[in-house]
Amino acid sequence: MGVTPIAEGLFTAGERPRLIGGRRKDTGRVVFPIPSGAEAALYDPVELAEAGTLWSFTVQRFRPKSPPYAGADDDRTFRPFALGYVELPGQVIVESRIETDDIAALKVGMPMRLVLTPFQRAGEAEPAVTYAFQPA
Amino acid sequence: MTEVHIVGAGIHPFGRHDDMSGLDQGVFAVREALGDAGVEWGDIQFAFGGSSAAGNADAMLPRLGLTGVQFINVANGCATGGSALLSGYWAIKSGEFDLGVVLGFDKHPRGAFNPEPADWGLPDWYGETGLMLTTQFFANKINRYMGLHGITPMTLARVAEKAFDNGARTPHSWRKQPMAAEDILKSQMVSDPLTKFMFCSPAEGGAALILASDRKMRELGLAGPKVRGAAVRTRVNGSFEVFSPSLDIERGPSPTMIASRAAFEISGVDPADVDVAQLQDTESGAEIMHMAENGFCKDGEQEALIAEGATRLGGRLPVNTDGGCLACGEPIGASGLRQVYENVQQLRGRAVGRQVEGARLGYSQVYGAPGLSAVAILEA
């Protein structure tokens, strides 16, 4: 797996990666990802829990339009992937790709944990690293 | 207080029209509406109109006549048509004007919309990694709802089956071929649990309504349904909207719930009083959830109501009598006004082949990106 994150400031590196959310200084509301630009000053970075429960999910069955989708696959090689929302207790519900070999076994409420996973952009030599959740 | 009536309604059939621009279809609808009311363009004092992807609405002025009329372009996402109606309603209710037109039209490329992350204030990675599809949002929302409230995939299919049955009876619809629920269920899976025929498609069309004060209506010897109330509301913390990388754990009301409550309050009527409803059905699940969000049933009751045909023509509350977005497609700028056009036909007893007998109160609700809802309640 490559070492270049798909975006700066999205997750921490290392053995136990964490997503980086933003906690709004005046209200305590947590969002993901942490806002950039002028909004950033209103938020403190906060490491999000690495485990949570599946809040909802679906499956992307066709190759999304490019742009914005940047995957190196094409309509023939595209493989459907699961995605959904994972509730991180006491913090926030985050949207994520879901890594699983058994889409049919996904169930709302099941435990999930964060993983980093390669994402091959079209036209790039090495895959970048993005985040996903997988059944724990 | 001044009352607002819809004294004319026009539509350009929805669907695909390779030989017509979106603007052509908007102009067509306005001329139909003027003809329906029997008024001239030169009589019109104001216009509110919009399109999302087919250019400036006021580009129709050279074609309708450069009368100096006050023309305001409306751009409010999927609620553009609903917002045009609300603006016209206020213009007359305020006492400032007596006669005007509200209109919407659109023409979209085929297939799913492809948005740019920056236009939505989102980072590039969100789109690059394949998370920026409206279809995913709808699928995520209904999938959770089905689990919480006991809605089955067959109920999703029945909603689409009804839509195509109603579309087959409607002159302005796009899809006129009935399809059995079993075939809808077995069609290509797009985003689980939603199959190909449970989703509406981007399309083309135009719709226009002539609004008049009660005084002007009498003066001109016209008639038409009264706008009892109308409201537009946007999302609050805790609602679940399209293109949301994160959601609050503490859930809140949807923009549809608050727009609906406001419109019922303004109108002084209850959901039980409504005879016919046009509810946003971007996909089958949306119609099911919107039945509850608009107060027509409790969460979960849809499973039995739809099985017993309560939302079909002849049922207790017919929903999307012209086939809705599923059978008409969704030209964004025109879609909300199509719903109101259909209610006008129903309340005037002109909905040939799909008439809800004795309909007195018609309800319409359009919902969409980036998280807003527009409701209008009409009375015959």
Side-chain angles (χ1 to χ4, degrees):
Chain A
M1 185 160 70
V3 292
T4 314
I6 191 109
E8 289 301 323
L10 200 54
F11 45 78
T12 61
E15 280 297 293
R16 304 279 295 270
R18 301 292 193 92
L19 296 178
I20 304 170
R23 179 178 280 120
R24 204 173 146 116
K25 290 170 181 168
D26 57 350
T27 63
R29 184 188 185 207
V30 177
V31 299
F32 171 79
I34 185 167
S36 59
E39 274 288 284
L42 302 176
Y43 291 84
D44 289 321
V46 52
E47 288 192 3
L48 301 181
E50 61 188 329
T53 54
L54 190 58
W55 189 82
S56 193
F57 64 94
T58 184
V59 182
Q60 181 59 37
R61 294 279 175 185
F62 61 93
R63 186 181 186 276
K65 275 189 182 176
S66 299
Y69 181 62
D73 46 16
D74 57 27
D75 286 339
R76 198 172 43 82
T77 59
F78 173 79
R79 289 186 56 223
F81 62 90
L83 67 135
Y85 285 87
V86 176
E87 180 170 341
L88 305 175
Q91 291 182 316
V92 68
I93 301 166
V94 296
E95 188 174 12
S96 175
R97 281 180 165 242
I98 294 167
E99 288 210 332
T100 175
D101 295 328
D102 189 3
I103 284 172
L106 291 175
K107 275 196 164 33
V108 170
M110 72 193 294
M112 307 292 287
R113 60 182 293 276
L114 180 71
V115 291
L116 296 186
T117 186
F119 182 79
Q120 182 65 56
R121 282 194 185 104
E124 292 190 359
E126 289 284 315
V129 181
T130 191
Y131 71 95
F133 279 80
Q134 65 182 24
Chain B
M1 191 178 68
T2 305
E3 290 179 349
V4 183
H5 290 258
I6 300 176
V7 297
I11 199 160
H12 185 277
F14 282 30
R16 294 243 172 251
H17 311 285
D18 291 341
D19 54 342
M20 289 185 89
S21 68
L23 191 63
D24 288 338
Q25 297 173 55
V27 170
F28 181 98
V30 172
R31 288 186 174 137
E32 289 273 306
L34 291 168
D36 184 37
V39 299
E40 300 291 328
W41 176 246
D43 300 329
I44 295 295
Q45 300 165 339
F46 69 83
F48 291 93
S51 90
S52 162
N56 293 325
D58 83 346
M60 63 174 58
L61 282 178
R63 296 164 65 174
L64 291 169
L66 296 170
T67 58
V69 66
Q70 167 184 280
F71 194 115
I72 309 283
N73 287 303
V74 179
N76 209 10
C78 294
T80 292
S83 301
L85 175 63
L86 183 64
S87 305
Y89 167 69
W90 284 336
I92 291 177
K93 206 169 141 185
S94 73
E96 192 72 24
F97 294 105
D98 284 308
L99 189 68
V101 60
V102 297
L103 61 106
F105 58 88
D106 241 314
K107 186 178 180 94
H108 303 284
R110 286 159 206 269
F113 296 111
N114 55 331
E116 283 300 327
D119 292 346
W120 295 79
L122 290 167
D124 288 341
W125 65 263
Y126 187 68
E128 288 174 349
T129 58
L131 296 179
M132 196 162 180
L133 287 91
T134 54
T135 43
Q136 295 170 351
F137 158 71
F138 290 112
N140 267 310
K141 188 176 174 193
I142 188 62
N143 203 23
R144 179 171 172 82
Y145 190 89
M146 288 167 75
L148 286 178
H149 301 295
I151 305 294
T152 60
M154 180 49 93
T155 299
L156 295 174
R158 286 197 176 108
V159 168
E161 180 185 55
K162 167 181 66 70
F164 298 133
D165 281 350
N166 291 353
R169 298 160 172 268
T170 304
H172 64 255
S173 74
W174 179 14
R175 309 214 183 264
K176 299 185 190 293
Q177 192 65 44
M179 185 179 268
E182 291 73 17
D183 294 330
I184 292 163
L185 207 51
K186 281 188 300 196
S187 69
Q188 185 193 349
M189 188 62 81
V190 170
S191 202
D192 308 39
L194 299 169
T195 66
K196 179 179 173 182
F197 290 103
M198 295 175 186
F199 276 103
C200 82
S201 301
E204 305 170 18
L209 306 169
I210 309 295
L211 306 184
S213 63
D214 48 339
R215 191 180 60 79
K216 189 74 173 177
M217 179 176 73
R218 283 192 299 271
E219 180 190 310
L220 295 173
L222 301 175
K226 179 166 84 173
V227 182
R228 284 284 300 238
V232 174
R233 291 292 185 274
T234 55
R235 57 212 173 281
V236 297
N237 284 348
S239 76
F240 182 15
E241 305 300 335
V242 70
F243 306 149
S244 298
S246 70
L247 304 172
D248 296 310
I249 290 175
E250 189 182 332
R251 307 308 302 148
S254 71
T256 297
M257 290 177 191
I258 53 181
S260 176
R261 266 184 236 142
F264 276 121
E265 194 177 311
I266 294 165
S267 303
V269 295
D270 291 320
D273 301 326
V274 171
D275 300 306
V276 56
Q278 318 300 333
L279 306 179
Q280 178 73 26
D281 58 335
T282 322
E283 39 76 36
S284 293
E287 179 173 316
I288 293 168
M289 293 183 285
H290 285 151
M291 286 169 64
E293 290 185 29
N294 287 288
F296 295 114
C297 67
K298 292 196 175 67
D299 290 322
E301 290 179 352
Q302 302 96 324
E303 182 73 9
L305 286 172
I306 289 168
E308 72 194 34
T311 57
R312 283 186 161 272
L313 292 168
R316 182 152 64 75
L317 177 66
V319 173
N320 292 331
T321 46
D322 66 352
C325 291
L326 290 172
C328 294
E330 191 184 21
I332 289 178
S335 201
L337 291 177
R338 177 205 31 91
Q339 296 178 324
V340 181
Y341 171 90
E342 173 64 8
N343 275 342
V344 170
Q345 302 310 300
Q346 291 286 349
L347 299 183
R348 295 170 109 185
R350 295 178 179 183
V352 179
R354 60 188 194 286
Q355 181 66 45
V356 176
E357 290 309 321
R360 297 278 312 154
L361 213 58
Y363 183 96
S364 60
Q365 171 253 332
V366 56
Y367 160 83
L372 74 170
S373 211
V375 171
I377 300 175
L378 308 187
E379 183 180 22

